[in-house]
Amino acid sequence: MSKKGFIFDLDGVIVDTAKYHFLAWKELANSIDIDFNEEQNEQLKGVSRVRSLEKILAWGNKTVSEDEFMSLMSKKNNDYLEYINKMGEGEILPDVPKILNYLKEKNQSIALGSASKNARKILEKVNLISSFQAIVDGNDVSKAKPDPEVFIIGARLLNQEPENCVVFEDSVAGIQAANRADMVSIGIGDKNVLHEANYVFKDFTEISTDFIKELIEK
Ligand code: BG6
Ligand code: MG
C-alpha cells in the first residue's frame, strides 16, 4: 500500500477550541468597550492571533499604541490558556481517534498544520501529541493561511511531495492554503462555507475508513 501524508489542522478539526477563543476575545474586546459576538468569532477561524486583534480593533473603530497592542494580545492569550489548561482527552472531537488510528494502522505519515502558537500544548493536554510525526504551528511559519507555507513545511517534514498530501481543515483560509499547496483538501464543517474544498464532511463521524483507504490508494 502506498504512503501518503495526512495533515490535520487543530482548532475546529481535532478539538473545538473556538468556544474558548470566543470567551477570551469577548472578555478582551468588552474590556476596551468593543462588542464581540459569535458571528464575528466565526470570522476569526484560522486567522492568526495578531490578525484577529487587528480585526477586532477595526470592528470597534479603535486604534491603540504598539505597546498596548502587545499587552492586549498577551492578556487574551493568558485568558485563553486558562481554558486550555483545563482540557483533557474528552474534548477530542468525535471519531478523530478512529481516523488517526486507521492511518497509523495503514502506516501513513501524519502531521499537524495549525496557525496556533498553543498547538503543542493543546495536543499534550488531549494526549494526542505522540500521534503526529511532525508538528507545524504558528511558531514555525512566517506567512499565515491562506498562504500554503504551513502545509508545505508539513509535507517536507513528512518527506512527502505536496501532491501526495491530504489536508483536513475547517477554515476557508485553510482550504485555500491546501489548494494552493496542490494538496487534496478536505473541509470539516459546512458545505456552503467550505465549497472550495475537494470534499466536505460535517465532521469525522461522516468519514468512513473506506474513503480514507481510497485516498491512500489514489
Ligand atoms: C487558529 C484558530 O487555529 O489559531 C484561530 O482557528 C486562532 O482562531 C489561531 O486565532 C491562533 O491561535 P493562538 O492559539 O496562537 O492564539
Ligand atoms: Mg481550524
Side-chain angles (χ1 to χ4, degrees), residues 37-47 52 55 59:
N37 58 37
E38 302 255 9
E39 225 167 81
Q40 289 166 315
N41 194 54
E42 279 297 303
Q43 295 178 50
L44 302 183
K45 275 190 183 170
V47 175
S52 298
K55 279 173 163 267
W59 288 328

Side-chain angles (χ1 to χ4, degrees), residues 9-11 17 21 25 41 44-49 52 76-77 80 114-119 122 138 145 170-171:
D9 174 45
L10 175 68
D11 296 312
T17 41
H21 280 297
W25 279 130
N41 194 54
L44 302 183
K45 275 190 183 170
V47 175
S48 72
R49 198 183 308 165
S52 298
K76 185 271 174 176
N77 199 51
Y80 179 64
S114 167
S116 172
K117 294 189 171 179
N118 298 303
I122 295 169
K145 300 170 188 175
D170 71 314
S171 74

Side-chain angles (χ1 to χ4, degrees), residues 170-188:
D170 71 314
S171 74
V172 174
I175 292 295
Q176 291 170 340
N179 291 343
R180 286 190 203 174
D182 213 6
M183 300 178 177
V184 174
S185 56
I186 303 189
I188 302 293

